[in-house]
Amino acid sequence: MAQLKVRIQRGDGMAEYGVAARENQTVLDVVTEIQREQQPDLAYRFACRVGMCGSCAMEVNGVARWTCRTHVRKVAEDGTLTLRPLANLPVIRDLATDMTPFFDKWARARGQFQPKDAPNGAVPAEFAVVPPSSPKRQEADAGIECIGCGVCYASCDVVSWNPDYLGPAAMNRAWTLVNDVRDGGRRERLDAVAGDAGCHSCHSTQGCTERCPKNLDPSSAIAGLKRSIFWGVLAR
Amino acid sequence: MRGQVHLWAAQRVSAVFLAVAVFVHLATIMLAVRGGLSAAEIVARLRGAEGWLAFYAVFALAAGIHGAIGMRNIAGEWLGWRGRGFDALWLGIGLLTAGFGIRAAWGLYHA
């Protein structure tokens, strides 16, 4: 059976492994096989294996990807896979990164829903009715399927230049809530995502949109935030 | 944050003006040099002309603002030059750039 060459970043160096090249195998299958058969102390992260949980993202041949839904035959170059941990995040060990800065920025961008009707956390008496065809609902729908995998964050040049930059995922979440008619935190949220560490530093190079495994468009979400803040500033 | 939003807005608004102003500037140059370029001709066109004075004063101001904000962003991203000290430096450079341009326009107006 043909062999697949797999180079994996471990500490400061690269370790090399050989596994059988199969007709159908994902990058995550390959990493799991190496961990089970050859390198039991190899650290990596996964949970659902079906593209829902957002925990298995890594850099595959220089490109951040969700490895559970990435077929080896589509990304291997000359029968070789080179795997590194996601860029722009601290490495815990091997292929496992510390996602804390990534999710802290969601909180900084006010990514929590703040119900307008129940500011004290009370449950409103009635369900809110939001017509699916309304423009705001559709704008919110466009970004709502984010699984928090960090692929966009690792693919963003602005994050690599400015570690304080909120990044595409946090601002995509903020834009979703700005368009949520039930939410009451619009003003504070727009303030939180403004400025040099927020949407105004985005160069719109769309690395996030290009790489998002869910085909979301954080770049347009960030443009929406810029637009809302610009007209908000004029209106104040 | 609010200040940074204003910087962003100022850069976009100045860009809108510059897009038109640079075109007017270049078109004027091309039309003016068709009969040969002479200092006397330039002075004759600009001396006492309030319209050109106003146009070039705003042009110089927009260029100073736009350039300094852009340089501030590039220096922040590529060199890590961030903070109030550097902001003051770019403000100074922007005003100096605008000042040179406005002084030139004023000089020709009074030539």
Side-chain angles (χ1 to χ4, degrees):
Chain A
M1 189 178 266
Q3 285 283 297
L4 182 71
K5 193 164 98 180
V6 187
R7 302 172 68 239
I8 298 182
Q9 182 173 319
R10 301 203 74 204
D12 294 330
M14 300 296 289
E16 206 172 299
Y17 307 91
V19 298
R22 299 173 208 282
E23 178 81 9
N24 269 313
Q25 62 189 156
T26 65
V27 175
L28 184 65
D29 292 337
V30 168
V31 176
T32 300
E33 182 176 333
I34 291 170
Q35 198 252 7
R36 288 190 181 167
E37 309 293 337
Q38 304 180 38
Q39 190 75 61
D41 63 346
L42 178 68
Y44 68 110
R45 194 187 285 124
F46 75 96
C48 76
R49 299 169 294 135
V50 289
M52 289 170 68
C53 74
S55 50
C56 69
M58 303 168 199
E59 198 179 286
V60 183
N61 287 352
V63 175
R65 296 181 183 280
W66 53 355
T67 54
C68 69
R69 300 289 301 269
T70 301
H71 279 272
V72 170
R73 64 186 145 77
K74 288 190 179 159
V75 292
E77 290 164 4
D78 300 327
T80 305
L81 284 181
T82 302
L83 306 179
R84 297 176 199 276
L86 283 181
N88 296 336
L89 288 164
V91 176
I92 298 172
R93 209 173 72 142
D94 302 337
L95 298 170
T97 52
D98 179 2
M99 302 288 280
T100 308
F102 174 72
F103 286 114
D104 280 352
K105 288 175 182 180
W106 286 51
R108 237 177 66 205
R110 299 242 176 188
Q112 311 90 333
F113 173 56
Q114 288 178 265
K116 204 186 278 178
D117 301 337
N120 305 325
V123 179
E126 296 294 331
F127 285 108
V129 178
V130 185
S133 59
S134 63
K136 286 223 158 197
R137 174 70 224 199
Q138 292 191 341
E139 197 74 61
D141 276 349
I144 212 160
E145 295 289 347
C146 175
I147 56 173
C149 64
V151 163
C152 58
Y153 190 82
S155 307
C156 176
D157 288 331
V158 185
V159 177
S160 68
W161 295 327
N162 181 4
D164 286 337
Y165 181 63
L166 290 169
M171 288 196 274
N172 179 71
R173 171 66 182 159
W175 180 238
T176 299
L177 289 171
V178 163
N179 285 296
D180 190 329
V181 294
R182 304 164 305 158
D183 184 272
R186 178 189 168 90
R187 171 68 71 89
E188 295 78 13
R189 190 167 294 109
L190 288 178
D191 280 348
V193 299
D196 290 346
C199 64
H200 293 99
S201 279
C202 173
H203 287 240
S204 309
T205 47
Q206 304 182 37
C208 51
T209 298
E210 173 74 24
R211 301 274 164 85
C212 175
K214 300 286 288 181
N215 291 322
L216 306 185
D217 186 4
S219 196
S220 292
I222 295 170
L225 291 172
K226 285 180 185 173
R227 242 184 352 259
S228 298
I229 292 168
F230 180 75
W231 295 112
V233 165
L234 290 186
R236 274 177 200 179
Chain B
M1 301 280 213
R2 195 64 54 77
Q4 291 163 5
V5 175
H6 285 133
L7 285 180
W8 184 88
Q11 204 192 20
R12 266 61 189 178
V13 171
S14 60
V16 170
F17 176 76
L18 284 170
V20 179
V22 167
F23 179 77
V24 172
H25 179 63
L26 292 177
T28 308
I29 290 173
M30 280 189 253
L31 290 173
V33 298
R34 282 196 307 178
L37 188 65
S38 75
E41 195 193 339
I42 294 171
V43 169
R45 188 172 65 246
L46 297 179
R47 181 191 285 151
E50 283 89 4
W52 283 118
L53 173 66
F55 174 75
Y56 276 110
V58 181
F59 192 159
L61 192 63
I65 290 170
H66 187 83
I69 297 173
M71 293 300 288
R72 172 186 177 273
N73 294 345
I74 293 168
E77 285 175 355
W78 288 75
L79 305 171
W81 290 8
R82 296 190 182 95
R84 286 186 168 274
F86 285 113
D87 284 353
L89 173 76
W90 294 119
L91 177 67
I93 288 174
L95 290 178
L96 206 63
T97 312
F100 282 139
I102 292 170
R103 201 186 71 159
W106 183 251
L108 285 164
Y109 177 74
H110 273 287

